[in-house]
């Protein structure tokens, strides 16, 4: 019996989508307004889901307090009120698209989740635009 436990979280961050090795014209063509050199912000919403067997002793798949603390320590502390391009080493050479942010979040959390459990991260960049990653 596989059960999924999810925790929602939130952070505000600024970013700019561009490639250093492309001209301004090429970056504008592909990334449009997201290539604004002065950056722009998003209210990112995050759903972290852990799937696995219910522990017969506790009745939990994962203690939500533990999951909440992991997200706080490894994601919110690292990303909230940051400029992703300038302040977060993970995006030094990685374009901080919703896709790449989602993968980085998954990679940061995966070591702390039991190997018997599956991890899925869904990241909302806007209320209508969201991406998911589950390690494949
Ligand atoms: Ni953006």
């Amino acid at each position: 019996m596989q059960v999924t436990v999810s925790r929602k979280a939130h952070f505000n961050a600024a970013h700019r989508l561009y490639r250093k090795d492309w001209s301004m014209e090429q970056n504008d063509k592909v990334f449009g307004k997201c290539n604004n050199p002065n950056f722009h912000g998003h209210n990112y919403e995050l759903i972290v889901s852990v799937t696995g067997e219910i522990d017969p002793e506790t009745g939990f798949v994962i203690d939500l307090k533990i999951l909440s603390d992991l997200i706080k320590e490894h994601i919110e502390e690292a990303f909230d009120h940051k400029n992703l391009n300038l302040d977060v080493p993970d995006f030094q050479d990685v374009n901080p698209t919703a896709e790449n942010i989602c993968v980085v979040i998954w990679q940061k959390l995966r070591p702390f989740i039991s190997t018997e459990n599956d991890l899925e991260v869904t990241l909302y960049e806007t209320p209508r635009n969201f991406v998911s990653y589950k390690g494949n």
Side-chain angles (χ1 to χ4, degrees), residues 12-136:
N12 300 313
H15 73 168
R16 173 191 177 188
L17 302 185
Y18 75 114
R19 290 190 61 96
K20 294 170 192 169
D21 58 334
W22 284 1
S23 67
M24 192 65 182
E25 287 74 22
Q26 178 72 359
N27 274 301
D28 271 339
K29 203 171 128 191
V30 174
F31 299 116
K33 282 197 284 190
C34 295
N35 177 41
N36 176 358
N38 293 328
F39 306 95
H40 64 276
H42 291 283
N43 295 315
Y44 290 97
E45 297 286 344
L46 185 64
I47 301 172
V48 177
S49 298
V50 176
T51 300
E53 299 285 332
I54 298 175
D55 182 320
E57 236 172 14
T58 61
F60 294 155
V61 172
I62 183 171
D63 184 333
L64 272 165
K65 172 78 170 94
I66 291 173
L67 185 59
S68 151
D69 286 347
L70 284 174
I71 297 168
K72 201 166 291 169
E73 182 182 347
H74 299 282
I75 310 305
E76 292 174 16
E77 293 283 326
F79 293 172
D80 191 39
H81 287 73
K82 297 289 171 66
N83 180 311
L84 298 177
N85 302 77
L86 303 180
D87 301 331
V88 181
D90 302 273
F91 301 108
Q92 209 61 49
D93 296 305
V94 173
N95 208 9
T97 58
E99 291 88 332
N100 282 330
I101 300 167
C102 190
V103 170
V104 165
I105 291 170
W106 186 94
Q107 288 169 339
K108 283 180 179 294
L109 294 176
R110 182 66 261 194
F112 302 100
I113 305 296
S114 161
T115 51
E116 290 166 13
N117 292 341
D118 291 325
L119 174 66
E120 178 168 8
V121 173
T122 300
L123 181 72
Y124 284 75
E125 192 169 67
T126 73
R128 290 167 190 269
N129 296 344
F130 57 99
V131 303
S132 306
Y133 182 63
K134 46 186 171 186
N136 298 317

